[in-house]
Amino acid sequence: MEWSACLDEYEKLVIRMTTPRVVIDNAVCPKATVVKVDSARKHGILLEAVQVLTDLNLSIKKAYISSDGRWFMDVFHVTDLKGNKITDKSVINYIEQSLVTIHYGRTTGSNGLTALELTGTDRVGLLSEVFAVLADLQCNVVDAKVWTHNGRIASLLFVKDCNSGSPIEDTQQIDRIEARLRNVLKGDNDIRSAKTMVSMAVTHTERRLHQMMFADRDYERKPILQPSGDSPVVTVQNWVERDYSVVNVQCKDRTKLLFDVLCTLTDMEYTVFHATIKTSGDRAYQMEPPISSEPERQRVIQCLQAAVERRASEGVRLELCTLDRQGLLADVTRTFRENGLNVTRAEVSTTRDMALNVFYVTDAIGNAADPKLIESVRQKIGLSSLKVKELPPLDYHQEAEKEDQTAGVAGTVLLSLGSLVKWNLYHLGLIRSYS
């Protein structure tokens, strides 16, 4: 490590002590790459570490979290989405470099784009109206993520001026964009809660979406549809004799699940004190002191249920891959609306001149869309451009389950799942952070 000439020995010592030590090992475990992180404790640092791994679309099959005073140690067993170890040296080096810097925090710039944050009441065709307004205002949507939950919508859109290709910095134009979008979000019945904000830089996109939904209090809203049997089950217990609370979250496995749970716990000012996590078995987290009241216990339950459900893939997954052009998103989402399809989640990206977009769609009331209707929409947009894409299988979890069925969780309550396959159980102890 090279030191600046202005640093004294004490400052160098502090940097050495607070810089995380990272070890990545492919030899110790036969089925996964083991990533070890040892660092000084800081609120949110566990989330930062998990964010590094999930941004690379890595699956966390196991994790062991331990915090002792001002220090913590995390051990993650990770694979790619196909269940293979991480062997690419460039990826391994990126993980090491990224984890070493997590103690200092990470932000994601807008890459010369203007960020638009929108929250409000969801309705059929809302996204179509938003994209139509942006097209009319000469805004090209380069990247975007849209989530809906309990009748609410949160979206983060990155745009640039269609004519100049530059970020939108003119204050009058920004005011026009905010005013037009706010009117769209308000509709006929959302005068108070609709919000728009424009900025030139944001934090991590999905991290920000969780913050927006949490601030919008989506967890307090009643779901529009009756929850299915796959809804997350959350329980909270106080272990007064051990001075912490235990939170159990049971739900189907999917990518980025641990990241989503940690986002909400961090927003609620809780810190994971100890944890044992197994993708196909038990997940245990210990936090202290115990949750102090019944209203707070119910709030933790509601917030964690919302954290799991926000990214849930409701509906048919449609992938659009075509040459980008001005007004493309407005035209595609208008076709969805005119055919009674509702967009429950969307991811928009642009690579060079190609638009790579993903939409999850249901019918107008949230039920599965008629396959004949989906085919009709594909014919109107282009069969070669818009394709139905199934979610990747998670068969590799079955082997992990066989391996872990008899494994215990040291220092925590053992919970038997029997033959429950492809489900996660989070068993958390919580410590409240006051910073």
Side-chain angles (χ1 to χ4, degrees), residues 8 18 21 42 88 120 141 235 246 262 266 288 340 346 416 418:
D8 60 27
T18 57
R21 290 185 283 275
K42 174 185 174 184
D88 189 319
V141 180
T235 60
V246 177
L262 290 176
T266 302
E288 53 182 20
S416 174

Side-chain angles (χ1 to χ4, degrees), residues 15 23 37 65 83 103 138 218 244 266-267 316 322 343 390 427:
I15 292 174
V23 176
V37 185
I65 314 298
H103 188 81
Q138 301 299 300
D218 67 318
Y244 61 74
T266 302
D267 288 340
V316 178
T322 187
V343 179
E390 297 297 331
H427 180 54

